[in-house]
Amino acid sequence: DLKTDRLISSLEVTCQNESCGKPFRIVGDWINPSYEMLIYDCYHLIQEKRYCYSILNLAQSFEVFFSTYLRVELLYKPFRREREAFHQDSNRDRSDPQIQFNALSNLLFDKTKLYSYSKMRNIFVNLILSRETIPNFETSEKIISKISSLAKSEVADEEIDRFDSNRIGGLLKRLREPNVIELRNKVVHKYAYRPTLKEVEDSLAETQDIVRPLGTLLLIYGDNIVQYLNSSLSI
């Protein structure tokens, strides 16, 4: 009915009732990235006093953010560049970017599917501090191939201090071990810990203060590849 597949948070439409036909605006849908949706869900979970699930959501939002960042930087943005180069090459002396994308997407999934918070954080921080430009899929493949070594490499605060963006650097330091990760481990493992309302509220504030600013500063719009194919967006 809407005749579009783009993300919509509100839209002016016309009533399809023949006796009406008046325009009106539909609103209320969220188009936020999945890592933000996990955070927002916690407001309802807290109201229902489902504190354990709130902690699980918040911890997962960190991991989903890291995963989204990897797909954006290693797949989506290089795909745009590869696609532009492919269409500019009149001889088509290039591999189809879609085939390359699918292969690298599977490789990235296989390499990271068993990684939880600490390893995903290490990959994330190492990639940012490397300042490495990823102009094409060849560079992406090299990074993905060595991603297990990045996962094992914990970055010291001194290295972060040498990073030129103080705000990003400060947020990277806070990823060392957020309280919510420790709480999540206590909740899901043998302790079956039941967090208090204050612990949940503190964890919610902590997660919002770290994850959302990182998404804004790093231009992570979400997990929809179409959002990164627009030439007007900075990549």
Side-chain angles (χ1 to χ4, degrees):
D1 290 339
L2 299 179
K3 296 180 175 60
T4 179
D5 59 0
R6 67 184 177 89
L7 298 174
I8 299 173
S9 60
S10 65
L11 184 69
E12 190 80 21
V13 297
T14 301
C15 179
Q16 295 182 353
N17 189 316
E18 293 181 359
S19 63
C20 178
K22 293 181 179 179
F24 67 98
R25 180 165 288 274
I26 51 175
V27 297
D29 280 349
W30 289 1
I31 60 172
N32 302 69
S34 52
Y35 59 85
E36 287 189 359
M37 299 287 277
L38 286 164
I39 295 172
Y40 295 151
D41 284 346
C42 290
Y43 291 101
H44 300 292
L45 293 172
I46 290 172
Q47 286 181 345
E48 297 171 359
K49 299 187 177 182
R50 301 173 71 183
Y51 300 154
C52 288
Y53 289 103
S54 299
I55 294 298
L56 298 182
N57 264 41
L58 294 171
Q60 187 181 10
S61 71
F62 280 96
E63 295 170 354
V64 171
F65 174 73
F66 298 148
S67 179
T68 302
Y69 176 83
L70 294 186
R71 286 192 294 277
V72 169
E73 294 298 322
L74 298 174
L75 298 174
Y76 300 168
K77 291 180 180 180
F79 177 73
R80 172 183 149 182
R81 299 174 183 122
E82 290 279 5
R83 192 178 69 159
E84 289 173 350
F86 182 76
H87 289 303
Q88 291 170 3
D89 185 357
S90 58
N91 295 322
R92 288 293 187 270
D93 189 23
R94 288 174 173 271
S95 300
D96 186 336
Q98 186 63 60
I99 295 174
Q100 292 177 285
F101 176 92
N102 292 339
L104 284 178
S105 180
N106 291 333
L107 180 62
L108 179 61
F109 175 80
D110 289 339
K111 289 281 188 178
T112 60
K113 62 184 176 182
L114 298 180
Y115 291 167
S116 57
Y117 179 84
S118 60
K119 290 186 176 181
M120 292 297 289
R121 175 205 60 207
N122 289 347
I123 297 169
F124 171 73
V125 175
N126 274 295
L127 280 180
I128 291 177
L129 297 189
S130 73
R131 309 168 194 251
E132 184 169 0
T133 302
I134 307 174
N136 50 46
F137 282 149
E138 182 181 359
T139 305
S140 293
E141 185 174 8
K142 290 178 181 176
I143 294 173
I144 295 172
S145 297
K146 66 176 184 181
I147 215 162
S148 59
S149 62
L150 297 178
K152 298 173 186 175
S153 177
E154 239 181 82
V155 178
D157 286 350
E158 292 75 19
E159 294 180 65
I160 296 175
D161 287 335
R162 290 193 289 271
F163 191 64
D164 62 359
S165 174
N166 290 331
R167 188 168 182 202
I168 292 180
L171 293 169
L172 295 182
K173 285 182 181 180
R174 294 185 66 183
L175 292 173
R176 177 71 63 199
E177 203 62 48
N179 291 330
V180 69
I181 301 302
E182 182 179 350
L183 274 173
R184 189 266 301 272
N185 293 339
K186 291 169 68 176
V187 166
V188 300
H189 295 310
K190 57 183 177 292
Y191 304 107
Y193 182 71
R194 294 291 183 261
T196 66
L197 173 59
K198 184 178 187 311
E199 286 176 318
V200 173
E201 289 177 336
D202 289 347
S203 295
L204 175 58
E206 175 188 50
T207 305
Q208 295 228 64
D209 288 347
I210 300 174
V211 173
R212 295 187 65 193
L214 277 173
T216 300
L217 292 168
L218 297 172
L219 305 180
I220 304 301
Y221 307 111
D223 200 20
N224 186 338
I225 190 172
V226 175
Q227 295 171 286
Y228 302 93
L229 299 182
N230 185 339
S231 60
S232 67
L233 297 178
S234 171
I235 61 170

